[in-house]
Amino acid sequence: MLWITLALLLFIVQIASIIVVEYRRSNKAIAWVIIMFMFPLLGFLPYYFVAKEYSCYRTLQRKKNKQWEQFKNELIHRSKHRVTKHMRGDWPPEFNLHASLKNIPSLPITACNETTVYTEGKQAFEAMLESIAAAEHHIHIEFYIIRDDQLGTRFERLLIRKAQEGIQVRLLYDGIGSRLLGKAFLKRLRQAGVETGCFFPPLATFFDKRLNYRNHRKIVVVDGKTAYFGGLNIGDEYLGKDPELGYWRDTHFRLTGDAVLWVQYTFFTDWYLVKDQLITDSVYYPDQESYGKEWVQIVKSGPDETILELMFSLIVSAKKRIYIETPYFVPDPGILLALKTAVISGIDVRIIIPGVPDKKLVYNASLSYVQELLQLGVKFYCYQKGFIHAKVIISDNLACSGSANMDMRSFCGQFELNAVFFDGKVVDRLLQDFYRDLSVSNELTLPEFKKRSTIQKLKEVFARLLSPLF
């Protein structure tokens, strides 16, 4: 009897601790309480190790010196100077409709950019490999997932060759996303002279209680003049070779122009966090040779600088249309309310989600939001050609895309890199891609969706309750 009483007291203390610590994040508190009731006493262990509020940013702020902050200000000044010199300071009219973008605590809106959009892995990877092969000074690569497969081997061999030619090669990979990457793969790179870094190694971050915070960015920067980013990781499945998912539809970008400086800056902030090396040499931030006419804003986000405000701003400022493509649709209450308000106001709101999911739990959580939004007039489509991994928001004449999904993890728990595109050509291209995806998608209708089984509805309820945790 005594042991039962002590266990009950311990359980009550654990529940109380979660409520007190997570009172500002009620959705997350509810999810963890559910886990506690499912796994009494034992459920507190995963909470203790993975739910710690992210604090690296404050550590980084204490560590970084005035040189780093001064350097960022110099880059901002360079970007503004290019605007004045080559764009005559004429901000596009969309800035007035989306003035809040200029005040989002991120990186500045840049000018003189040129953008190439890729919708398939084969095109994007061939372009990346071509740029890497032509590198003359340095190559910086950062991916959430790197596989030791056919595609990974192509990158490995090319990076080894470039390092042996005397090119500086730096590579970052996420400790969880690339957990299957073998030591032999990394050893071969290091022996050739490639510098590597693991972002939050699993074992170390487990005991440091930061296991839940991952680096989801996908970056390639060559000579500080060409940058790639978007939704693609390095692996054969991103070429459509996964037998279960089949064709892989994604969105990736190639950038030249001043925006490249900020992709480079993002890479070096991560390099500093992992390797404790402060690199601000001007050779890595060369004068840009591109004199394009596109405006681009790089948006660097993480647990300490959320992308949620950007997505919310894009939705609430729309006047005509909001088109969303995302593999995972798990909006927070603010985004959900914004979407509801938009469609009630007569805005055309369309959302494309996968027809074939890669993660059943997240997919069920996504479906749990469909009926309430369908009832208000939001149109949902399930992509049928394969798996859609593109992450795109089109708000009137603006578009935002990159590595961030429309889910809680991307909002609050992962390091992401997106860009806002103001140029009509880029937005039109993303619109064309969206309409093309609609043509191979099945629209979800309210009468048909209501017919799903009771078991399916229960799965959705359970997944939604746990959704703040994934």
Side-chain angles (χ1 to χ4, degrees):
M1 189 67 181
L2 178 61
W3 288 108
I4 295 176
T5 302
L6 291 175
L8 181 60
L9 287 173
L10 179 59
F11 181 72
I12 293 173
V13 169
Q14 291 176 345
I15 294 290
S17 299
I18 292 174
I19 293 173
V20 169
V21 173
E22 304 291 346
Y23 77 94
R24 288 195 181 97
R25 302 177 290 180
S26 57
N27 289 341
K28 186 168 287 190
I30 292 171
W32 279 112
V33 168
I34 291 172
I35 291 179
M36 285 295 301
F37 276 99
M38 291 174 59
F39 306 99
L41 302 181
L42 296 177
F44 192 77
L45 289 176
Y47 172 78
Y48 178 80
F49 282 106
V50 305
K52 178 182 178 182
E53 185 176 356
Y54 183 78
S55 59
C56 273
Y57 178 69
R58 289 191 290 272
T59 303
L60 183 62
Q61 288 289 84
R62 289 195 298 268
K63 287 172 64 178
K64 71 180 182 181
N65 53 31
K66 294 181 179 179
Q67 179 186 358
W68 188 244
E69 192 63 33
Q70 181 181 355
F71 177 70
K72 180 180 178 181
N73 291 333
E74 290 174 358
L75 281 183
I76 293 174
H77 177 75
R78 282 179 58 182
S79 294
K80 291 181 178 179
H81 176 72
R82 288 265 286 181
V83 169
T84 304
K85 182 177 179 180
H86 298 289
M87 305 291 278
R88 299 180 182 178
D90 296 330
W91 300 98
E94 288 81 4
F95 282 18
N96 295 325
L97 296 176
H98 301 265
S100 59
L101 293 177
K102 291 186 286 186
N103 299 318
I104 290 176
S106 183
L107 305 178
I109 299 169
T110 64
C112 305
N113 298 291
E114 291 183 281
T115 306
T116 303
V117 183
Y118 303 100
T119 58
E120 294 182 346
K122 183 177 180 180
Q123 301 168 332
F125 290 127
E126 292 301 328
M128 288 184 224
L129 290 166
E130 182 179 347
S131 294
I132 291 171
E136 297 178 350
H137 183 265
H138 65 268
I139 301 163
H140 294 152
I141 295 184
E142 177 177 356
F143 282 93
Y144 176 63
I145 295 173
I146 300 177
R147 305 264 191 227
D148 188 0
D149 53 19
Q150 290 183 353
L151 181 62
T153 299
R154 289 189 65 190
F155 273 88
E156 175 201 7
R157 290 175 177 172
L158 182 56
L159 294 178
I160 288 174
R161 175 164 68 84
K162 297 304 292 186
Q164 290 173 341
E165 291 175 2
I167 306 300
Q168 297 179 30
V169 183
R170 297 180 176 91
L171 180 144
L172 285 175
Y173 60 95
D174 184 79
I176 292 294
S178 299
R179 63 190 178 279
L180 300 179
L181 187 61
K183 294 181 179 179
F185 183 97
L186 296 168
K187 183 179 180 180
R188 290 191 295 268
L189 290 173
R190 296 186 187 113
Q191 287 178 338
V194 176
E195 294 184 75
T196 67
C198 179
F199 196 97
F200 288 1
L203 186 60
T205 52
F206 177 77
F207 289 105
D208 196 30
K209 294 176 283 186
R210 293 179 296 172
L211 191 64
N212 204 35
Y213 300 107
R214 313 314 315 171
N215 192 317
H216 197 236
R217 293 168 181 154
K218 305 97 164 60
I219 293 173
V220 174
V221 181
V222 177
D223 293 336
K225 298 179 180 179
T226 304
Y228 295 85
F229 71 97
L232 291 167
N233 290 294
I234 298 178
D236 286 348
E237 68 263 41
Y238 298 93
L239 289 169
K241 295 183 179 181
D242 187 307
E244 295 183 4
L245 298 176
Y247 176 77
W248 191 281
R249 163 72 176 92
D250 221 315
T251 300
H252 216 77
F253 301 92
R254 178 184 187 271
L255 271 179
T256 57
D258 279 25
V260 175
L261 298 176
W262 295 106
V263 180
Q264 181 86 296
Y265 174 84
T266 301
F267 175 86
F268 273 130
T269 58
D270 290 342
W271 188 261
Y272 182 47
L273 185 58
V274 173
K275 306 289 285 186
D276 199 26
Q277 295 177 5
L278 180 66
I279 300 176
T280 59
D281 296 347
S282 60
V283 69
Y284 298 106
Y285 299 86
D287 291 334
Q288 299 301 304
E289 298 172 356
S290 172
Y291 293 96
K293 296 297 181 181
E294 297 173 12
W295 299 87
V296 177
Q297 182 180 23
I298 298 298
V299 181
K300 166 180 168 286
S301 67
D304 42 51
E305 43 186 358
T306 176
I307 201 171
L308 182 60
E309 287 85 351
L310 168 64
M311 294 187 175
F312 181 83
S313 176
L314 289 170
I315 293 171
V316 299
S317 57
K319 304 298 181 184
K320 296 180 180 179
R321 65 188 173 202
I322 300 169
Y323 295 163
I324 297 173
E325 292 184 283
T326 179
Y328 316 119
F329 180 74
V330 188
D332 90 314
I335 295 291
L336 188 63
L337 179 60
L339 289 171
K340 290 180 177 179
T341 304
V343 74
I344 291 173
S345 303
I347 296 172
D348 182 15
V349 182
R350 307 185 193 189
I351 302 173
I352 299 178
I353 59 176
V356 179
D358 67 332
K359 299 176 182 177
K360 293 290 182 64
L361 185 63
V362 184
Y363 185 67
N364 285 327
S366 298
L367 293 180
S368 73
Y369 293 91
V370 171
Q371 183 168 325
E372 60 185 297
L373 290 173
L374 282 176
Q375 289 172 334
L376 295 175
V378 175
K379 297 178 181 179
F380 276 90
Y381 303 83
C382 289
Y383 188 78
Q384 299 298 312
K385 188 177 179 180
F387 180 68
I388 187 164
H389 194 246
K391 311 124 183 335
V392 179
I393 300 177
I394 299 171
S395 172
D396 292 341
N397 297 320
L398 290 183
C400 176
S401 185
S403 66
N405 299 304
M406 182 67 72
D407 66 359
M408 301 299 292
R409 179 168 289 278
S410 285
F411 293 155
C412 306
Q414 292 186 154
F415 295 82
E416 306 282 5
L417 184 74
N418 272 39
V420 179
F421 299 99
F422 300 85
D423 184 74
K425 292 181 180 179
V426 179
V427 177
D428 286 346
R429 167 60 192 275
L430 294 174
L431 272 172
Q432 292 173 15
D433 294 339
F434 185 87
Y435 290 130
R436 188 180 301 111
D437 294 335
L438 281 182
S439 69
V440 291
S441 301
N442 292 336
E443 183 175 359
L444 293 175
T445 62
L446 186 58
E448 287 296 320
F449 191 74
K450 285 183 176 180
K451 293 179 182 179
R452 66 200 190 283
S453 67
T454 301
I455 293 178
Q456 175 59 33
K457 292 177 181 178
L458 290 175
K459 289 180 180 178
E460 293 170 12
V461 170
F462 178 74
R464 182 160 173 172
L465 288 172
L466 296 182
S467 63
L469 307 183
F470 52 74

